[in-house]
Coordinates of all heavy atoms in Angstrom, one line a residue:
V6 N 17.1 15.7 -22.2 CA 17.8 15.6 -21.0 C 17.7 14.2 -20.4 O 18.6 13.6 -20.0 CB 17.3 16.7 -20.0 CG1 18.0 16.5 -18.6 CG2 17.4 18.1 -20.5
W26 N 42.9 0.6 -16.9 CA 43.6 1.6 -16.0 C 44.4 0.8 -15.0 O 44.3 1.1 -13.8 CB 42.6 2.5 -15.4 CG 41.8 3.3 -16.3 CD1 40.4 3.2 -16.6 CD2 42.3 4.2 -17.3 NE1 40.1 4.0 -17.6 CE2 41.2 4.6 -18.1 CE3 43.5 4.7 -17.7 CZ2 41.3 5.6 -19.1 CZ3 43.6 5.6 -18.7 CH2 42.5 6.0 -19.3
I35 N 33.8 10.2 -22.9 CA 33.1 11.3 -23.4 C 32.2 10.9 -24.5 O 32.7 10.3 -25.5 CB 34.1 12.4 -23.8 CG1 35.1 12.8 -22.6 CG2 33.4 13.6 -24.3 CD1 36.2 13.7 -23.0
D58 N 36.8 2.8 -7.6 CA 37.9 3.6 -7.0 C 37.7 5.1 -7.1 O 38.5 5.9 -6.7 CB 39.3 3.2 -7.5 CG 39.8 1.9 -6.9 OD1 39.3 1.5 -5.9 OD2 40.7 1.3 -7.5
L77 N 37.5 19.6 -10.7 CA 36.5 19.2 -9.8 C 37.1 18.5 -8.6 O 38.0 17.7 -8.7 CB 35.6 18.2 -10.5 CG 34.9 18.6 -11.8 CD1 34.2 17.5 -12.5 CD2 33.9 19.7 -11.5
N79 N 36.5 16.0 -5.5 CA 35.6 15.0 -5.0 C 35.7 14.9 -3.5 O 35.9 13.9 -2.9 CB 36.0 13.7 -5.7 CG 35.0 12.6 -5.5 OD1 33.8 12.9 -5.1 ND2 35.4 11.3 -5.5
E85 N 30.7 8.1 -8.6 CA 30.6 8.4 -10.0 C 30.4 9.9 -10.2 O 29.7 10.6 -9.4 CB 29.4 7.7 -10.6 CG 29.3 7.8 -12.1 CD 28.3 6.9 -12.7 OE1 28.0 5.9 -12.1 OE2 27.8 7.3 -13.8
S94 N 21.9 24.7 -31.0 CA 22.4 24.8 -32.4 C 23.8 24.2 -32.5 O 24.6 24.2 -31.5 CB 22.4 26.2 -32.9 OG 23.5 27.0 -32.3
T150 N 9.3 0.9 -38.1 CA 10.2 0.7 -39.3 C 11.0 1.9 -39.6 O 10.6 3.0 -39.3 CB 9.4 0.2 -40.5 OG1 8.5 1.3 -40.9 CG2 8.6 -1.0 -40.2
I175 N 10.1 6.4 -17.6 CA 10.9 5.6 -18.5 C 10.0 4.4 -19.0 O 9.2 3.8 -18.2 CB 12.1 4.9 -17.8 CG1 13.1 6.1 -17.4 CG2 12.8 3.9 -18.6 CD1 14.2 5.6 -16.6
Y188 N 11.4 -3.0 -35.6 CA 11.3 -3.6 -34.3 C 9.8 -3.5 -33.9 O 9.2 -2.5 -34.0 CB 12.1 -2.8 -33.3 CG 12.0 -3.3 -31.9 CD1 12.7 -4.5 -31.5 CD2 11.2 -2.8 -30.9 CE1 12.6 -5.0 -30.2 CE2 11.0 -3.2 -29.6 CZ 11.7 -4.4 -29.3 OH 11.6 -4.9 -28.1
A206 N 18.4 5.7 -32.0 CA 19.8 6.3 -32.0 C 20.8 5.4 -32.7 O 20.9 4.2 -32.3 CB 20.1 6.5 -30.5

Side-chain angles (χ1 to χ4, degrees):
V6 177
W26 300 118
I35 302 174
D58 284 340
L77 303 171
N79 190 19
E85 185 172 336
S94 72
T150 60
I175 294 175
Y188 178 77

